Amino acid sequence: MSLPEIVTRADWRAAREALLAKEKAATRARDALNAERRGLPMVEVDKEYVLEGGDGKATLLDLFEGRDQLVVHHFMFAPEWEAGCRGCSAFLDQIGHLAHLRARGTAFAAVSRAPYPRILPFKARMGWTLPWYSSFVSDFNTDFEATLEREGELVERPGLSCFLRDRERVFHTYSTYDRGLDGLGSATSLLDLTALGRREPWEKPEGRASALGAPVSSGSVRYHDEYEDWNAR
């Protein structure tokens, strides 16, 4: 077994400070990358998708729950499968309380190709309460490249897609798949994928935090039962 080298506290501190400089550089680089992501163009989603959830039929606009942004987890669950993907399940297990996203005007939902009656018992087994929809009767998964055709067969892959709403218009702003999900799960990591970001005034491009008439977030983290869900409308 290969273990770290044993050194004195002073030697450890010197090594730690050297690494800290690189970590801070990586943080600054990540902030710049997030700003560049927010600077991506967007494309209007003008196709009507029929999804099914706990309240019956739903459109993509319905998944916003009145909020400005939506993050969709493309959960691998093919129609013929008896249970959902283990890797996708581990990812959903890491999603925290949705109040921290909703307080910044962002909804979250999982979408799979499996029929909703097949999703429902698996969702109950896993103990999840977050919104989960079936795209069984629509082209949603294929249009957003979470289901691909390879050698005449449909193949699933995990992913995240971000959407922005301007009144009744919906826009696709970003998607990532497979290894692109590594390290994601916290509220801030998901917000960093979106066009409006964390809605903090220091974020670039300037003006994003107050876009669409939404108030600027104070940046303070609260208990999840203390947030005012200011963006739901």
Side-chain angles (χ1 to χ4, degrees), residues 172-215:
H172 176 219
T173 61
Y174 182 74
S175 286
T176 188
Y177 308 93
D178 300 314
R179 288 291 304 278
L181 277 67
D182 285 2
L184 300 178
S186 67
T188 52
S189 69
L190 296 175
L191 290 169
D192 284 342
L193 301 180
T194 67
L196 301 183
R198 306 182 191 188
R199 310 189 87 148
E200 301 289 349
W202 56 267
E203 291 180 303
K204 304 294 182 181
E206 292 182 4
R208 266 316 150 79
S210 57
L212 303 179

Side-chain angles (χ1 to χ4, degrees), residues 5-138:
E5 179 186 2
I6 299 174
V7 297
T8 65
R9 174 60 63 179
D11 287 342
W12 178 89
R13 175 60 64 185
R16 177 67 190 95
E17 289 179 354
L19 181 61
L20 180 61
K22 295 180 180 180
E23 290 176 338
K24 289 184 176 181
T27 296
R28 291 190 290 269
R30 185 178 68 241
D31 286 344
L33 181 62
N34 291 337
E36 188 172 350
R37 183 185 296 113
R38 288 189 293 273
L40 285 173
M42 61 185 183
V43 59
E44 186 165 7
V45 181
D46 52 13
K47 188 173 183 177
E48 288 291 335
Y49 294 103
V50 178
L51 307 172
E52 184 178 0
D55 295 326
K57 303 296 182 184
T59 65
L60 185 58
L61 184 62
D62 291 329
L63 272 59
F64 282 78
E65 301 172 331
R67 299 177 177 86
D68 288 335
Q69 300 192 116
L70 168 67
V71 177
V72 168
H73 177 215
H74 299 291
F75 189 108
M76 293 172 57
F77 198 159
E80 67 274 14
W81 295 0
E82 294 298 325
C85 164
R86 287 181 171 83
C88 293
S89 297
F91 179 82
L92 274 196
D93 280 339
Q94 299 175 69
I95 299 296
H97 202 291
L98 295 185
H100 300 288
L101 288 173
R102 291 168 174 168
R104 286 162 177 77
T106 303
F108 180 92
V111 176
S112 303
R113 277 201 309 128
Y116 191 70
R118 181 159 290 189
I119 290 173
L120 196 57
F122 182 71
K123 179 182 178 182
R125 171 189 167 187
M126 294 291 101
W128 296 324
T129 58
L130 52 77
W132 195 349
Y133 295 86
S134 167
S135 61
F136 180 67
V137 297
S138 78

